[in-house]
Every structure is written in C-alpha cells, then in structure tokens.
Amino acid sequence: MVFGPNASPVVAVGGAFIDATPRWLKEFAIREFGTNDKTVLVTGILVVLTVLAAVAGVLSVRRPRIGLGFVAVLALVGALAAVQRPTSSWSDALPSLVGGFAGWAALDYLGAALRRVPTPRPAPLRLPDTAAGEAAEKAAPGTSRAAAYDRRAFVLGGATFAAIAAVGGAAGRRLLAARIDVAASRAAVVLPPPAQQLTPRAAELDVPGISPFLTPVSDFYRIDTAIVAPQVATEGWRLRVHGLVDREIDIDFAQLLARPVIERDVTLACVSNEVGGDLVGNARWRGTPLADLLREAGVHQDADQLLSRSSDGMTIGSPLSALMDGRDAMLAYGMNGAPLTVAHGFPVRLVVPGLYGYVSATKWVVDLEVTRFDKVDAYWIARGWAPYGPIHTMARIDTPRARAALRPGPVAVAGVAWAQHRGIRGVEVRVDGGGWHPARIADETSIDTWRQWVFTWDATAGTHRIEARAIDGKGDVQTAALADPFPAGATGYHSRTVTVS
Ligand SMILES: Nc1nc2c(c(=O)[nH]1)N[C@H]1C(S)=C(S)[C@@H](COP(=O)(O)O)O[C@H]1N2
Ligand SMILES: [Mo]
C-alpha cells in the first residue's frame, strides 16, 4: 500500500492547523519565518508531541488507565486530522492508529515494568542479620525502595520500543515518499522549445547588492499551504477542464507539451509580501497559453471565475476576464530553462502576469473548473482575502541595506520596481522627505517583469531616510497610503534608514 502525505499524523495535523490558522498568526509566521514557516510548524508539532508523550509516560506510572487514555486521544486526533484533509482516504487514518497502538503497547509494557518489583534474589548468606538485610526483607513492594522496579525489563523494553519506532519511522517515510519516482519523472522531462526565443535582454544594471533580473530558482521565494510538497509524476498527471463549458477537456502531460509553446519573463509576487519584502521573484516561464485551452473548451457567457485545483486539494480562483484579455496567462512547466522544481509546482502550474499568486499561480495544478465568483469561494477568499488580486505598483530598495554604515560621497541607491501588466515607467528617490529625483532604470523587457533601477545619491554625514516610489506604465504614481498585506496586498513607500560618517 502507498500512503499519501496526509497519512502522516504530523503532516495531517499540521495541515489542519494551517487551514485553521487565524490571520494574525499566519501573517506573523510569514513575516518571521517566510519560506521556512513549515519547518518551524513541523518542529513545533514534534516538540509538543514529545512533551505530550512525556506527560503520558509520567501519568501512566501511577495512573495507567489515564496514561493509556491520553495516548488513545492523541492517536484519534491524528487519525481524524488525517481523514478530513481535502484529498484523504480512510486508509490515511491507519498510521495514526498503528502509532497509537504502538504507543499504547509501549506504555503498558514499560509502565508494568516500572510498577513490578523484581523477584528478590536470595539474601546473601553471609549477611543474614544486618540492618540493611532486615529492612529490605520488611519493605513492602513498591513502597520505600527507590529502585523497586524491574529495571532490566524497563531498559530492555525501552530499547526495543525505541528500535521499533525508528524502523517504523523509516519504513513510514518510504511508504510516504513517492519522491524517488518524481525525481526520475522530472529528470525524464524534455522541455519543448518555445516558438520564439526571447530576445536577449539588455545588460543588467551593474550595482553590487541589486537583485538580479532573473531570480535563480534556488533563491525564488516559496509560499504554499503544503507541508510536504505534493509529489506528482508526469506519468499519471492529467488536467481536466470542466464546469461552465461547451466541451470538457481532459489531457495528459504529453498532450500538454504538444500544444503551442511560449516562454515569458514574468514577475510573481505574493499578496503577503510586506513593503520591501522578498516574497517576489522574476523567472523565465515556459508553457502553453491558457486562454487557447479555455476557448477550446468554450467558456459560457455567465462564467466569471476559473477555479483551479492542485493535486493536494488547494483551490485558487482567478477572474476569467484577466485570463482571457490577451495577457500571457499560461500553464507553465518550465522555469528558468528547466522543468519546474517540485517546490514550485512540478509538473504544471499556472502563471498569470499581474495577479498575486493566491489568485493565479496554482502549483501542482490538475483541475480547472469554469464557474462563478458568486458560487464558489477559493481557499484564501473563504479566509477573507480579496477575491480579485491585482498587484500593486511597488519599488523596493535592495541597497544600501538597513542601518548600513556609509561614507560621505556618491552612494548607489538601487533596487527593483514592479507593476505587472501595467509596466514601470519610472522610479523616483528622495532623501529625508526632500524632492523626488528620477532614478535610472534598466531597459524594459516586458510590462510583466520588474525593472532594476539605480540613483546615485551624494551622501552627507548624518542619519538619513531614503525612500523610493515607482510610476507605472499608465503614469500612475505608486500610492503613499500605508496598507497591510491583508486583504489585498501591502502599499506604501519602501524606505531605508542609513548612517553616513
Ligand atoms: N497548490 C498551491 N498553489 C499555490 C499556493 C498554494 O498554497 N498551493 N500558493 C500560492 C501563492 S499564495 C503564491 S504567492 C504562489 C507562490 O509560488 P512559488 O512558491 O512558486 O513562489 O503560489 C501560489 N500557488
Ligand atoms: Mo501568496
């Protein structure tokens, strides 16, 4: 039998925890831990489990029934979490129940060993009448003697249960992980060449500390609700298009690759990104146009939402008007010249220029349902986030870093600015609330990508506050109004305070 990731009690409880996480806690986790939030969550669950296991152990020494009941409750929590995940089956409860049973057996056996007084060895003949000997003979089992338990059984039993747990854990991980298959599946993918090669980019701005135009995959932010990234091999992958359409479509990976191929540089941004944050990246995506596929299916007049679903049951709703207005919305399978990595949605994800990821960028996508916003709320919309998520115009200062110590004289203030699908017309910089100065910006690659910018500031001694703002392709200046990421994305100017001496 092969288990899905939900069969792991830690993954299932973690998933349930993520779904139920109040907004302030989610925002705190993303702010404090960013892309490492899942590691922190899993570590937290393991620490809590360890403490609970210790409590169960201590309880069961004196109150065996309560200790065992405690373990049963823990196992049931794991089992319940496992079966109620979006893509679970009943068998996913099994590991929790087996684990609970093993815990029960361990507590029962070890508890009994602790309560059992070893059969006394015959008293040494040469000390028949010493005080110690008499005391030992009079002591009732388990009353005053500290060492009155079956030490041998306890130590041997403990070691045996620990070994069983280790073997079980390793075996469980093997059952869980379709990982090896997916690595092979990914290695076997041959990306079809795009119809047109992208024109080589104009030289990047050569400023130390500025974000590169293309973000390397290894540095690309990762945000999703999955504790274990879904392991989807191309071999079994299918995409279904259904709902308010004239003809349902159902294609496999080879059919997807056989469709027209485009390659585009698109800057992806997360709605949870704070002003100046790093939940934004620019990649070269290869895939097939989404609008063509939707037109083939024949989208009904009254439909306004595309609800996309990932293999792990996550849903994302995008406005059909944006997907079909001529922008390069795509079903992407390539990122920076290679197949998508598992973390970024292998084998197929959506990429839509101009919309935050939570309303557009479905990773591990397997299902496209044409529907209406007044019929279905996607995952984040049900949690209060704005149903439409156009990306706000934003300039970010990459260098100098916060609290940098600088020398008087020319200092390169530089960064990137984005306003996907409107484009960036200019960037301006001001110091200490003075006048705005135009920055030099790199040549435009497309209106869907960020642009690097640099302003040479003649720094003078003292502490200074540098601010930047962007002007989009329509001539609209980035808003100064401060807004939190919730519910529609952060706004306001990014600033850095530096000391010159
Ligand atoms: N299946 C799935 N796709 C998802 C998400 C998710 O949680 N599950 N998160 C979305 C969000 S909020 C963002 S910002 C982008 C991030 O894509 P990346 O991790 O490749 O940077 O993926 C989107 N696609
Ligand atoms: Mo996001």
Side-chain angles (χ1 to χ4, degrees):
M1 191 190 311
V2 174
F3 290 102
N6 298 323
S8 156
V10 174
V11 171
V13 169
F17 186 86
I18 289 173
D19 289 355
T21 298
R23 199 170 61 244
W24 61 266
L25 188 54
K26 176 206 172 239
E27 282 171 13
F28 169 83
I30 288 188
R31 189 166 54 243
E32 296 302 315
F33 313 122
T35 292
N36 295 322
D37 55 351
K38 304 304 181 312
T39 316
V40 172
L41 173 63
V42 168
T43 309
I45 291 176
L46 292 177
V47 168
V48 169
L49 255 184
T50 307
V51 170
L52 291 179
V55 170
V58 169
L59 273 178
S60 69
V61 175
R62 306 239 168 253
R63 317 281 298 273
R65 271 161 203 279
I66 294 185
L68 294 179
F70 199 78
V71 171
V73 168
L74 277 185
L76 278 181
V77 167
L80 277 179
V83 295
Q84 63 83 48
R85 304 301 305 142
T87 57
S88 293
S89 58
W90 287 103
S91 63
D92 288 337
L94 221 59
S96 295
L97 298 178
V98 170
F101 185 76
W104 179 306
L107 270 193
D108 194 41
Y109 179 87
L110 296 177
L114 278 183
R115 286 184 299 272
R116 182 165 62 233
V117 181
T119 33
R121 294 184 193 151
L125 278 178
R126 53 193 168 80
L127 295 170
D129 52 3
T130 58
E134 271 163 35
E137 264 155 37
K138 279 177 200 149
T143 49
S144 60
R145 287 182 303 168
Y149 69 93
D150 196 340
R151 192 153 180 275
R152 193 181 136 80
F154 183 78
V155 170
L156 271 183
T160 308
F161 280 113
I164 291 173
V167 170
R173 227 158 295 148
R174 296 209 66 165
L175 280 179
L176 216 170
R179 263 168 238 236
I180 302 148
D181 300 353
V182 172
S185 173
R186 182 170 180 271
V189 171
V190 179
L191 293 182
Q196 306 136 295
Q197 294 288 328
L198 286 181
T199 42
R201 273 174 300 106
E204 300 197 22
L205 297 184
D206 183 20
V207 181
I210 199 171
S211 300
F213 175 73
L214 280 181
T215 312
V217 175
S218 54
D219 293 346
F220 208 96
Y221 80 94
R222 173 186 170 195
I223 290 288
D224 53 61
T225 57
I227 293 180
V228 177
Q231 309 287 313
V232 185
T234 59
E235 289 77 10
W237 181 87
R238 296 196 77 88
L239 180 71
R240 198 172 148 233
V241 186
H242 62 109
L244 302 174
V245 294
D246 297 334
R247 301 162 279 284
E248 289 199 3
I249 294 180
D250 188 339
I251 55 172
D252 64 17
F253 193 66
Q255 289 170 307
L256 184 80
L257 262 52
R259 298 184 62 85
V261 184
I262 57 172
E263 188 163 57
R264 300 286 185 267
D265 293 339
V266 178
T267 300
L268 198 65
C270 182
V271 69
S272 294
N273 200 27
E274 307 266 346
V275 171
D278 57 8
L279 302 179
V280 55
N282 185 47
R284 180 159 291 186
W285 307 97
R286 195 181 305 183
T288 193
L290 175 63
D292 293 355
L293 193 76
L294 294 175
R295 267 190 290 273
E296 279 174 40
V299 170
H300 291 180
Q301 283 290 324
D302 57 335
D304 60 4
Q305 173 174 223
L306 183 72
L307 190 76
S308 46
R309 224 177 245 106
S310 61
S311 68
D312 62 340
M314 163 80 180
T315 54
I316 284 182
S318 321
L320 277 166
S321 55
L323 302 183
M324 302 190 72
D325 70 358
R327 74 184 71 194
D328 290 314
M330 62 169 124
L331 282 157
Y333 38 71
M335 183 179 186
N336 291 356
L340 292 177
T341 58
V342 168
H344 292 291
F346 180 81
V348 185
R349 75 176 303 167
L350 294 183
V351 172
V352 184
L355 301 180
Y356 285 118
Y358 81 110
V359 289
S360 71
T362 319
K363 304 192 273 190
W364 315 290
V365 67
V366 293
D367 188 282
L368 302 177
E369 181 183 349
V370 177
T371 179
R372 300 182 47 82
F373 278 104
D374 61 15
K375 272 201 195 147
V376 200
D377 281 342
Y379 185 92
W380 288 116
I381 313 314
R383 288 159 177 78
W385 293 77
Y388 309 99
I391 296 173
H392 297 299
T393 302
M394 185 62 65
R396 183 180 73 192
I397 304 168
D398 291 337
T399 181
R401 309 295 301 175
R403 290 175 293 280
L406 305 170
R407 299 252 146 247
V411 167
V413 177
V416 284
W418 59 88
Q420 289 91 318
H421 213 58
R422 297 184 299 281
I424 289 291
R425 183 176 295 176
V427 173
E428 297 176 331
V429 175
R430 72 174 174 188
V431 179
D432 300 328
W436 289 100
H437 305 281
R440 183 160 70 84
I441 50 179
D443 291 344
E444 181 169 80
T445 309
S446 98
I447 58 170
D448 296 333
T449 57
W450 64 19
R451 287 175 84 171
Q452 296 174 316
W453 56 268
V454 59
F455 168 72
T456 306
W457 168 46
D458 194 11
T460 54
T463 295
H464 301 287
R465 186 173 141 92
I466 309 169
E467 289 170 288
R469 69 177 185 186
I471 297 135
D472 77 7
K474 299 193 156 94
D476 291 332
V477 179
Q478 175 181 338
T479 179
L482 287 174
D484 286 334
F486 183 84
T491 60
Y493 298 155
H494 188 210
S495 68
R496 285 272 165 86
T497 300
V498 296
T499 304
V500 182
S501 55

